[in-house]
């Protein structure tokens, strides 16, 4: 397991170095690397009979896609921004485009045209459902939940489908949905944003996806136990922090 932790740390460092552009570093915060998504991609490509270098290229490529999508989410839409905010917004767009260029570069080196198509389909699907979430104000709860799930998991669904890894696809959906809903619950409870979901709905749905994730992990679909241990640790870590939040809110409301 220690070897896997070291491997993940090395991949994260490689990503950070690739993402570093002198001009962007000077004017924008460093892009956030989602370590859970990095871990999931490593688990997917661990099943492949490929060289370590090719696996690394695929993982880096998919992470660049994710980071580019996340970066474009940070673009502000304020129509009355001052000159400094306008420049910041333009730079954020350029940063997202720059990160997109990195995954095209890596894919051209692998020469996998089918993967280009796979990632393009994921990007298209994610952006379509982001538009739904941000601009369609009459979505019912199931439609909203479906779009949220696609935004969080589509990249991993398409990559897993590409290699015909159905269990990895199912686990990615359950785990990433659980993580996102736990985040929604945290924001709702702390009044950071107005969530369309109620606390009761989030709590019940989080429980469902947590149990589904644990059940899949216990089914033994992962080739290496180290991945199962790390993913199980992450699930229970999120669960633990969620329980702490609930306890804190209960105490506050009782005062």
């Amino acid at each position: 397991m220690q070897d896997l932790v070291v491997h993940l740390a090395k991949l994260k460092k490689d990503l950070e170095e690739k993402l570093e552009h002198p001009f962007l570093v000077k004017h924008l915060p460093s892009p956030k690397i989602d370590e859970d998504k990095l871990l999931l991609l490593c688990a997917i490509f661990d099943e492949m009979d490929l060289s370590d270098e090719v696996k690394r290229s695929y993982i880096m490529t998919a992470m660049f896609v994710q980071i580019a999508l996340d970066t474009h989410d940070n673009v502000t839409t304020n129509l009355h921004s001052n000159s400094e905010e306008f420049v910041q917004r333009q730079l954020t767009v350029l940063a997202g485009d720059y990160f997109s260029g990195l995954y095209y570069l890596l894919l051209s080196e692998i020469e996998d045209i089918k993967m280009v198509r796979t990632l393009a389909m994921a990007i298209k699907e994610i952006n379509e459902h982001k538009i739904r979430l941000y601009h369609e104000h009459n979505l019912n709860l199931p439609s909203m939940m479906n779009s949220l799930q696609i935004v969080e998991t589509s990249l991993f669904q398409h990559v897993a489908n590409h290699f015909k890894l159905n269990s990895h696809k199912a686990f990615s959906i359950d785990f990433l949905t659980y993580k996102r809903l736990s985040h929604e619950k945290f924001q709702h409870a702390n009044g950071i944003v107005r969530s369309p979901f109620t606390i009761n709905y989030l709590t019940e749905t989080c429980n469902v996806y947590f149990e589904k994730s644990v059940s899949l992990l216990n089914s033994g679909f992962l080739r290496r136990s180290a991945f199962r241990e790390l993913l199980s640790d992450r699930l229970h870590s999120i669960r633990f922090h969620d329980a702490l939040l609930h306890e804190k809110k209960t105490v506050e409301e009782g005062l």
Side-chain angles (χ1 to χ4, degrees), residues 214-239:
V214 170
S215 178
L216 268 172
L217 274 183
N218 291 339
S219 73
F221 73 95
L222 292 168
R223 184 163 62 175
R224 279 206 281 171
S225 61
F227 280 107
R228 183 171 64 251
E229 290 175 33
L230 277 179
L231 287 164
S232 179
D233 285 350
R234 279 300 300 141
L235 269 168
H236 286 89
S237 176
I238 296 168
R239 182 80 153 186

Side-chain angles (χ1 to χ4, degrees), residues 131-140 144:
I131 290 169
R132 272 183 153 195
L133 286 172
Y134 299 153
H135 298 292
E136 292 186 23
H137 303 295
N138 297 318
L139 285 179
N140 58 32
M144 197 177 299

Side-chain angles (χ1 to χ4, degrees), residues 41-77:
L41 286 169
C42 287
I44 290 172
F45 285 99
D46 187 61
E47 304 294 323
M48 300 293 100
D49 186 20
L50 302 166
S51 71
D52 289 343
E53 188 57 35
V54 172
K55 287 180 185 179
R56 176 186 174 278
S57 294
Y58 276 123
I59 292 165
M60 298 277 282
T61 297
M63 285 303 297
F64 287 145
V65 171
Q66 184 65 62
I67 291 163
L69 289 164
D70 292 343
T71 301
H72 280 138
D73 280 347
N74 293 328
V75 179
T76 62
T77 56

Side-chain angles (χ1 to χ4, degrees), residues 4-160:
L4 178 55
V5 172
V6 171
H7 177 62
L8 287 165
K10 174 68 165 60
L11 274 173
K12 185 181 178 185
K13 186 173 184 296
D14 290 346
L15 278 166
E16 288 170 342
E17 289 176 355
K18 287 276 189 183
L19 292 166
E20 195 172 90
H21 185 286
F23 185 76
L24 294 177
V25 167
K26 186 177 178 181
H27 296 279
L28 293 173
S30 298
K32 187 177 182 299
I33 295 171
D34 190 319
E35 294 183 15
D36 291 326
K37 291 182 176 179
L38 179 60
L39 175 58
L40 277 175
L41 286 169
C42 287
I44 290 172
F45 285 99
D46 187 61
E47 304 294 323
M48 300 293 100
D49 186 20
L50 302 166
S51 71
D52 289 343
E53 188 57 35
V54 172
K55 287 180 185 179
R56 176 186 174 278
S57 294
Y58 276 123
I59 292 165
M60 298 277 282
T61 297
M63 285 303 297
F64 287 145
V65 171
Q66 184 65 62
I67 291 163
L69 289 164
D70 292 343
T71 301
H72 280 138
D73 280 347
N74 293 328
V75 179
T76 62
T77 56
N78 183 8
L79 296 177
H80 304 290
S81 57
N82 58 38
S83 59
E84 185 177 337
E85 290 172 335
F86 177 77
V87 170
Q88 191 86 354
R89 182 166 60 196
Q90 296 299 97
L91 285 174
T92 304
V93 172
L94 288 172
D97 293 343
Y98 172 69
F99 302 146
S100 299
L102 290 174
Y103 77 75
Y104 282 121
L105 176 62
L106 272 178
L107 278 179
S108 69
E109 294 170 357
I110 301 172
E111 297 181 351
D112 186 345
I113 299 302
K114 289 183 179 179
M115 181 56 87
V116 174
R117 188 178 301 115
T118 292
L119 295 176
M121 287 172 62
I123 293 166
K124 174 179 176 290
E125 191 171 67
I126 289 167
N127 285 330
E128 284 176 351
H129 283 271
K130 280 183 180 179
I131 290 169
R132 272 183 153 195
L133 286 172
Y134 299 153
H135 298 292
E136 292 186 23
H137 303 295
N138 297 318
L139 285 179
N140 58 32
L141 197 60
S143 296
M144 197 177 299
M145 182 64 200
N146 178 60
S147 290
L148 187 73
Q149 190 172 69
I150 287 172
V151 168
E152 285 300 311
T153 71
S154 182
L155 177 62
F156 296 83
Q157 289 189 54
H158 281 279
V159 170

